Amino acid sequence: MIQVKLVFAACLIAATLPASAALNVFACTPEWGSLASELGGDKVTVFNATNALQDPHRIEARPSLIARARSADLVVCTGAELEIGWLPLVLTQSGNSKIQAGQPGYMEASSYVELIEKPQRIDRSMGDVHAAGNPHIHLDPRNVAKVAAALSDRMAALDSAQSAYYRERARFFLQRWAAATAEWEKRAAPLKGVPLVVYHRNLSYLVRWLGMREVGNLEPKPGLPPTASYLVELLAQLQRDPPKAVVRSAYNDPRAAQWLAERAGIPSELVPFTVGGTERAKDLFGLFDDTIERLLGAVK
Amino acid sequence: MHRTLLCAMAFAVAWGTPLAARAQDPELSKLREEVRQLRQAYESRIQALEARLKETEAKAGKAEPSAAQAETAAAGTGTRPAGENAFNPAVSLILQGTLAGNSRDPGTYRISGFVPSGGEVAPPKRGFSLAESELNVSASVDPYFRGQLSAAFTPDNRVEVEEAYFQTLALGRGFTLKGGRFLSGIGYQNEIHQHAWDFQDASLVYKAFLGGRLNDDGLQLKWVAPTDLFVELGAELGRGRQFPGAEGNRNSVANAGSLFGHTGGDIGASMAWRAGLSYLRASPQDRGYGDLDSTGTGVNNTFSGKTRLWAVDGIFKWAPNGNSTQTNLKLQGEYFQRSEDGSLTYDTQAASLGTQSGSYSSRQSGWYLQGVYQFVPQWRVGYRYDRLGAGTTSIGQVSSGALSAADFPILGGYNAKRNTLMVDWSAGEFSRLRLQLARDYSRIGEPDNQILLQYIMSLGQHGAHRF
Ligand SMILES: [Zn+2]
């Protein structure tokens, strides 16, 4: 009997919901959510499944995510196995046929860019390696531009009545983005060749774009937390090629980075990593503004 | 319009209408869905091509970014499939084993006050013991179905099919149909594979009421509501092949069926919850169990009738900002209540005082509450409290004086309880070592001190982070 009541209650809730015309976008990570808002304007409603303070590798298929995926018209995720722990579960449980892998409502950003750091050998003795290549693609603005073009196509295809609107916004965004990218490259010129220690290999695209050098990782192996003995080893190894700073993302534990930075006599710097990671990283433009400013400040 | 139809269907499910009556509806909507998808696929193709053409034209003037977009346009159509490998099924293998010490013989384990459930509910064997090795294979079958097999290789060299089911991907509108053998959606812990449990063994309520877990052969229809609050309703029909059912040889569509509803959501960024209510009904026929009667003779007794189980479950998780990497807390509890009505046949083999039948009814309940806390990365501690209430059992042959309560010793009133502590260490996501201590009062007058070390190793496909 109670089930019947539950059904009744659910139907009541459903009946009172407005039939929304906007395209419902489910973004796995805040950078794609922010991009979807830039491109979709008021024609889309964006839900971010994770925030900048959460480790994107360790998300669970929470009930709230299944509920949001249920009503999504478009799922935008990174792919390349970044969301492998939770997204397949959310998709199959959602009962939403539009967003299953292979459908127009399912998009993986990483399929539109060239992945780097593809492992030579895939074996878990190397840690929780990303078998398809490094999935943390969004900190190279040139990748963001490629994904933006693809995402705009996808929105126009799913919501054809508004395709001109999406195209216009994409044109506008890509123009501003190209100008901003040129500006960031100019501003970040002093970072060229600067050696850095990072926490996880999630800044690789940023490092490569700005011509910096990654000389060490705080994780002994991808996905494994830093250990005291490994940090001591790393510290000794860094004497040969001393880094200018230890850089971690907003979601990383600061302790290991601070420990190493203190011993090595270099600054420990936080970068927002994604939209929402710091006060200034309110959108994609702010994300890169703040990241570059913080890196410049650290290596000054 | 759709909502009305949807609700009508949901009501039909909730009322348990025969499956055949509903069969046309999904059939029709599947066809409709196929046509719609075809049309949409073509439309989106053309739209995408148009858009890309315009885009590339528009950016032909600009140097760098437009080169990037040209690349995109070339690579754009491709979407690598998520998660599971494109054509090769995703395969994973779980290796498990224990080193255990018990003050009572696990071979004679029974829960006093409850009809033995016949499942694999005894604690692990003393000393070194291999536990079930589990092989999981899953993949999309085509755009409409997904398939999964979980096979357990038992330490005594048998293979058990734990799950083997297909699941629809294309029904849409929140509906998912599962068919085959699968872990039932009732309660919370039931759907979770053993290697993902927070303690090595099942809670006493699962042992007593479901024989460890329920994985019947049948069908499951689930519907997720189109609301921001998670609301999921499900119905299952099954052959009732295992406890609390009993394999009958009947043509009826279902000897067991269940209904369940779950709801859940987030509270801010740091907290998430889920709560549920489930109902299971089965009609076991000649469900047997063994006991020692008043003469000390081993007899076989059977029950036929109706069994109804209600389950309430709740889970709450906390992690700072929802980032579970450093620290996190998980609280979980379930309450089960069961009533059984029918007839009990004593000594079916006429091995002792002769076969005789009479009425039987019982009202029993139980619950557990557990908490697991990760205090630093890799390390977790957990505590679980189990409690069963044998409630009331009335046996016709006893009240009529034909037999005495001493002829049914296992059904004597006794409230079992257990305290369990565990600490585990996980190198990463793929290996876990656990120490577990328990004081188990499952057997009347025989407290059992249990200690065990357990390993769980996962090979292959990345496991799912189930909530
Ligand atoms: Zn990573």
Side-chain angles (χ1 to χ4, degrees):
Chain A
M1 257 334 88
I2 298 201
Q3 267 79 7
V4 176
K5 279 183 200 155
L6 270 176
V7 173
F8 187 62
C11 289
L12 270 184
I13 298 168
T16 53
L17 284 178
S20 117
L23 198 66
N24 272 323
V25 180
F26 177 104
C28 282
T29 44
E31 62 272 16
W32 307 133
S34 183
L35 185 60
S37 301
E38 294 277 1
L39 300 172
D42 56 8
K43 300 284 183 279
V44 300
T45 315
V46 177
F47 171 73
N48 285 316
T50 61
N51 69 43
L53 300 178
Q54 298 172 348
D55 184 338
H57 307 84
R58 289 181 179 263
I59 306 301
E60 283 183 347
R62 297 197 311 277
S64 60
L65 302 189
I66 297 168
R68 296 299 191 134
R70 159 69 171 89
S71 320
D73 299 304
L74 173 61
V75 163
V76 192
C77 294
T78 301
E81 300 188 355
L82 180 64
E83 298 97 353
I84 192 167
W86 61 276
L87 186 63
L89 207 58
V90 166
L91 296 184
T92 50
Q93 303 240 2
S94 70
N96 183 348
S97 53
K98 293 183 284 187
I99 54 162
Q100 301 299 323
Q103 297 298 321
Y106 177 83
M107 175 171 156
E108 290 187 351
S110 63
S111 0
Y112 300 92
V113 306
E114 191 64 49
L115 296 187
I116 61 170
E117 294 172 0
K118 289 187 182 155
Q120 299 291 314
R121 196 163 64 88
I122 300 166
D123 188 308
R124 292 251 167 80
S125 63
M126 318 291 293
D128 191 2
V129 285
H130 296 298
N134 191 323
H136 308 288
I137 56 171
H138 67 280
L139 285 178
D140 182 338
R142 297 166 301 182
N143 285 348
V144 173
K146 292 181 196 178
V147 176
L151 181 56
S152 173
D153 279 5
R154 212 49 94 87
M155 288 173 167
L158 290 170
D159 184 10
S160 46
Q162 303 295 341
S163 59
Y165 174 84
Y166 295 125
R167 226 173 283 141
E168 188 45 43
R169 280 196 78 100
R171 202 181 344 260
F172 180 60
F173 172 77
L174 285 168
Q175 253 166 29
R176 286 194 304 146
W177 194 251
T181 304
E183 174 61 28
W184 290 324
E185 283 171 358
K186 206 161 71 191
R187 230 191 297 161
L191 294 172
K192 197 151 270 167
V194 166
L196 296 175
V197 169
V198 301
Y199 193 105
H200 174 72
R201 307 204 72 176
N202 58 2
L203 305 178
S204 300
Y205 289 87
L206 176 73
V207 165
R208 208 174 72 122
W209 168 51
L210 296 177
M212 299 182 288
R213 288 190 300 125
E214 189 182 295
V215 295
N217 284 197
L218 294 181
E219 287 181 333
K221 294 263 162 47
L224 302 186
T227 61
S229 59
Y230 169 75
L231 287 178
V232 171
E233 205 178 290
L234 178 66
L235 187 64
Q237 179 208 312
L238 288 174
Q239 313 257 286
R240 268 175 279 139
D241 192 359
K244 283 276 184 65
V246 183
V247 183
R248 68 176 199 282
S249 306
Y251 68 81
N252 292 138
D253 180 33
R255 283 170 297 186
Q258 272 154 11
W259 186 93
L260 191 83
E262 260 168 48
R263 303 297 184 293
I266 52 173
S268 162
E269 187 56 67
L270 174 144
V271 292
F273 182 65
T274 184
V275 175
T278 59
E279 194 70 28
R280 280 192 65 199
K282 283 196 172 66
D283 57 15
L284 285 164
F285 292 94
L287 168 64
F288 281 90
D289 282 340
D290 198 33
T291 302
I292 288 170
E293 194 148 310
R294 281 164 177 268
L295 288 175
L296 285 171
V299 305
K300 203 158 46 192
Chain B
M1 215 55 234
H2 291 322
R3 285 196 188 118
T4 327
L5 179 71
L6 249 167
C7 289
M9 283 180 77
F11 269 111
V13 171
W15 282 110
T17 357
L19 196 76
R22 296 198 311 269
Q24 303 159 321
D25 244 2
E27 195 68 42
L28 250 176
S29 58
K30 209 174 86 185
L31 266 173
R32 232 177 270 138
E33 181 66 7
E34 274 177 36
V35 173
R36 197 189 59 76
Q37 273 172 10
L38 260 174
R39 195 164 48 213
Q40 194 177 21
Y42 274 107
E43 270 171 15
S44 19
R45 265 284 152 71
I46 293 164
Q47 293 281 356
L49 282 172
E50 262 178 22
R52 244 178 254 126
L53 190 70
K54 289 245 168 75
E55 205 85 306
T56 345
E57 277 170 2
K59 306 227 166 48
K62 268 179 271 120
E64 236 235 319
S66 54
Q69 274 133 36
E71 258 177 67
T72 313
T77 35
T79 305
R80 266 193 296 268
E84 300 178 339
N85 297 358
F87 295 108
N88 304 316
V91 177
S92 75
L93 180 65
I94 316 288
L95 302 177
Q96 299 187 85
T98 49
L99 171 59
N102 301 57
S103 60
R104 306 283 170 184
D105 179 9
T108 60
Y109 179 84
R110 293 181 119 193
I111 300 174
S112 299
F114 286 79
V115 176
S117 60
E120 292 154 6
V121 297
K125 290 195 185 86
R126 287 164 162 167
F128 285 106
S129 168
L130 191 65
E132 285 181 352
S133 313
E134 186 183 294
L135 178 69
N136 294 297
V137 181
S138 66
S140 299
V141 178
D142 55 26
Y144 311 105
F145 299 101
R146 189 181 159 270
Q148 159 138 14
L149 170 77
S150 297
F153 300 89
T154 67
D156 49 349
N157 306 324
R158 286 178 298 118
V159 180
E160 266 174 30
V161 177
E162 290 203 324
E163 290 194 284
Y165 64 81
F166 71 86
Q167 188 176 23
T168 59
L169 297 172
L171 281 188
R173 303 210 166 82
F175 285 98
T176 310
L177 183 74
K178 234 185 213 187
R181 178 176 300 174
F182 51 86
L183 290 165
S184 165
I186 61 165
Y188 170 73
Q189 172 120 340
N190 196 69
E191 253 188 318
I192 299 174
H193 282 228
Q194 192 235 335
H195 56 84
W197 292 352
D198 293 323
F199 294 86
Q200 185 271 336
D201 47 7
S203 56
L204 293 184
V205 283
Y206 274 89
K207 289 185 179 193
F209 293 111
L210 296 173
R213 51 139 162 65
L214 185 67
N215 60 339
D216 206 359
D217 297 354
L219 285 172
Q220 178 197 66
L221 184 68
K222 257 202 318 198
W223 177 69
V224 180
T227 48
D228 290 350
L229 178 76
F230 172 72
V231 177
E232 169 193 270
L233 303 172
E236 293 168 358
L237 292 175
R239 70 179 278 118
R241 67 178 188 98
Q242 47 151 226
F243 196 85
E247 190 117 24
N249 184 18
R250 286 169 286 180
N251 277 323
S252 57
V253 175
N255 298 321
S258 63
L259 296 169
F260 57 85
H262 292 119
T263 179
D266 293 341
I267 307 168
S270 303
M271 291 175 276
W273 62 279
R274 200 192 86 160
L277 181 66
S278 316
Y279 173 71
L280 167 72
R281 187 191 161 107
S283 320
Q285 228 180 12
D286 301 327
R287 187 182 74 197
Y289 76 93
D291 208 352
L292 277 181
D293 73 1
S294 55
T295 68
T297 315
V299 292
N300 192 52
N301 306 333
T302 59
F303 167 79
S304 295
K306 290 215 168 359
T307 170
R308 294 174 209 86
L309 177 79
W310 285 94
V312 180
D313 65 275
I315 173 144
F316 169 85
K317 292 191 184 187
W318 169 87
N321 295 308
N323 190 14
S324 58
T325 319
Q326 297 298 319
T327 55
N328 64 74
L329 175 73
K330 181 177 173 187
L331 295 175
Q332 168 188 339
E334 294 183 73
Y335 170 81
F336 283 27
Q337 195 187 68
R338 177 179 69 189
S339 64
E340 300 207 300
D341 295 284
S343 66
L344 186 70
T345 305
Y346 158 82
D347 194 9
T348 53
Q349 323 268 299
S352 185
L353 303 173
T355 308
Q356 39 188 302
S357 280
S359 67
Y360 173 90
S361 74
S362 73
R363 305 277 175 275
Q364 302 185 298
S365 64
W367 57 274
Y368 74 93
L369 195 60
Q370 69 185 50
V372 175
Y373 180 55
Q374 178 179 308
F375 53 102
V376 288
Q378 301 182 316
W379 288 92
R380 310 188 310 160
V381 288
Y383 170 72
R384 175 180 63 190
Y385 181 73
D386 277 289
R387 181 89 191 171
L388 294 179
T392 56
T393 300
S394 75
I395 302 166
Q397 291 306 95
V398 173
S399 33
S400 73
L403 292 164
S404 76
D407 289 312
F408 304 94
I410 194 70
L411 303 182
Y414 174 70
N415 299 330
K417 65 174 184 183
R418 183 175 61 172
N419 284 293
T420 316
L421 271 174
M422 78 89 189
V423 54
D424 65 22
W425 177 83
S426 312
E429 283 198 54
F430 305 97
S431 64
R432 176 166 283 169
L433 301 175
R434 175 179 291 146
L435 169 69
Q436 183 173 312
L437 304 168
R439 194 164 164 84
D440 185 354
Y441 296 88
S442 286
R443 295 181 254 200
I444 186 163
E446 297 180 12
D448 184 9
N449 295 318
Q450 304 162 349
I451 177 166
L452 66 84
L453 284 167
Q454 183 194 11
Y455 67 83
I456 307 164
M457 307 282 154
S458 315
L459 291 70
Q461 173 76 353
H462 202 296
H465 303 171
R466 188 174 266 285
F467 179 77

